[in-house]
Amino acid sequence: MSRSHLIQHPGSRTSPRRHVVSGAARIFEFDLPEGMTLMAAVAKVMDETGCDSAVVRLDGLSIGPYNYVMPDQSPDGQHVAWYSKTYLGDAARLQQGTAIIGRRDGDWFLHCHAVWQDSECGRCAGHLLPGEVIVASSYFGKGYAFDGGCFDVTPDAETNFSFFRPRIIENSQNITQENAAIVSLAPHEDLSTSVAELSEELGLRNAHVLGIGSLIGADFRDEPSMESPISEVLLLDGARVNSSDEPYLPTFCVDPEGNFFEGQIVSGRAPVCVTFELILVAS
C-alpha cells in the first residue's frame, strides 16, 4: 500500500503535477580540475559547453574536504521535512552520484545526491553541498547537455521549498531534433508510474533515466522496504524505461536515521515526498 497519506504539505495542492520541458539532449564529456569547489568547477564546464542545462554522473569522483546534509524531520510547521546538521568529511570517493545543473537567481547551480565511501567513516549518502565540496583530484566525466529548457530554482507554494523546476528557453541553440525531456514531479506523484506515462506521452519509449529527489517510503522488488516518509534518493546507473515493460528504476535511498535502502522500485509504491528531478533521453 502507498504511504502517500503519511505526508501533508503546508500549502494547497498546485497544478500541474508534472512539470515537463521537451528539448534536445546530447552526451558530452567534461573535466573537473583538482582543487576547485564542485560548484565552481561545474560552472566553468557549463560556460564552456554552452548548453541550457545538464544532468551528469559523478561516479568515481574523489572529494575532500567536503560538507553534506542528510534528510531530517522539520523543526517547525512550515515544512514536512528538512535537512540535518551539516556533516564534515575529509576524503571520499563517490560510488554513484548524479548532479542536476541549472540556474539559481541567474547563476549556475547544482543539486547533487550521492553515495560514497569515506576514508574514515565508511559508506555514506546524502545531499552534497556544492560550494563546500573540494574536487580532490582531476576528474573526467560524462553526462547529458540539454537545450530547450533549464532547471531553475523556483519557490513552491505547496511545499514551502524552493527547488529546481524546468522552464522553457525560447530560441534555444543546438536543437535539431527533440529527443529528451527534463521533468520535476510534485508531491504524491508515483515515481515509476510517472516515468512510464511520460515516456509514452512524449514518445520516449526507450529512454535512459537519470534523477534525484525524495520519496514517501518505497517498496522494492527483492529488497526490504523503506518505511520512512522522509528520504534522499538517487536513481542508480542503468535506470531506463522500455516500451513494453515497467520502468527499470534501481534506486538508492537514505532515511533520517542514516539507514540505506537499495533496489528496483515497485510501480505504485514510491510516491514523491517534496520533489523529484529527472531527465529522460531516447536511446
Side-chain angles (χ1 to χ4, degrees):
M1 181 175 67
S2 172
R3 302 167 183 81
S4 192
H5 64 283
L6 297 175
I7 290 292
Q8 180 64 51
H9 287 281
S12 299
R13 181 182 173 93
T14 59
S15 183
R17 307 306 289 168
R18 301 169 183 174
H19 294 263
V20 182
V21 174
S22 296
R26 66 186 190 278
I27 296 175
F28 79 115
E29 300 175 343
F30 60 91
D31 293 293
L32 302 180
E34 179 181 347
M36 296 182 72
T37 67
L38 179 60
M39 186 68 259
V42 167
K44 182 174 183 292
V45 167
M46 294 300 289
D47 286 338
E48 294 170 349
T49 303
C51 58
D52 295 330
S53 201
V55 181
V56 301
R57 297 286 303 186
L58 296 174
D59 304 359
L61 172 66
S62 293
I63 58 174
Y66 66 97
N67 293 349
Y68 72 100
V69 294
M70 290 171 52
D72 205 350
Q73 304 288 332
S74 174
D76 53 45
Q78 301 303 307
H79 308 86
V80 298
W82 198 242
Y83 306 104
S84 70
K85 69 177 183 180
T86 299
Y87 292 93
L88 314 179
D90 290 327
R93 186 175 187 273
L94 303 193
Q95 295 173 332
Q96 294 205 43
T98 293
I100 310 289
I101 307 166
R103 298 279 186 177
R104 184 177 68 176
D105 298 327
D107 295 325
W108 291 117
F109 188 67
L110 70 84
H111 181 198
C112 180
H113 289 183
V115 52
W116 61 90
Q117 192 71 25
D118 184 274
S119 60
E120 294 184 2
C121 304
R123 202 180 197 197
C124 303
H127 172 123
L128 292 173
L129 301 175
E132 302 172 33
V133 173
I134 300 298
V135 178
S137 59
S138 59
Y139 176 78
F140 172 79
K142 294 182 179 180
Y144 288 110
F146 184 84
D147 287 291
C150 178
F151 282 106
D152 200 11
V153 174
T154 305
D156 178 67
E158 180 176 357
T159 64
N160 209 22
F161 279 89
S162 291
F163 46 66
F164 272 149
R165 180 167 288 161
R167 65 176 175 86
I168 295 173
I169 302 293
E170 301 290 350
N171 304 314
S172 180
Q173 304 297 313
N174 303 319
I175 297 181
T176 57
Q177 182 178 2
E178 291 186 351
N179 68 336
I182 54 175
V183 176
S184 68
L185 301 178
H188 305 290
E189 290 294 288
D190 182 71
L191 177 58
S192 183
T193 302
S194 297
V195 168
E197 292 179 352
L198 285 170
S199 66
E200 180 68 22
E201 293 167 8
L202 299 169
L204 304 172
R205 295 179 181 86
N206 291 284
H208 299 286
V209 186
L210 283 76
I212 59 177
S214 57
L215 296 174
I216 308 172
D219 289 336
F220 305 100
R221 290 227 167 270
D222 300 307
E223 300 295 337
S225 297
M226 178 180 68
E227 299 296 339
S228 171
I230 299 171
S231 61
E232 297 273 17
V233 179
L234 163 72
L235 292 184
L236 299 175
D237 189 29
R240 62 180 297 113
V241 56
N242 297 314
S243 57
S244 58
D245 300 323
E246 182 179 308
Y248 173 66
L249 299 178
T251 304
F252 189 96
C253 312
V254 59
D255 72 9
E257 303 303 318
N259 299 310
F260 300 147
F261 304 87
E262 183 176 349
Q264 155 68 353
I265 288 288
V266 175
S267 182
R269 307 294 286 272
V272 171
C273 181
V274 176
T275 187
F276 217 101
E277 303 153 6
L278 300 157
I279 187 170
L280 282 68
V281 184
S283 57

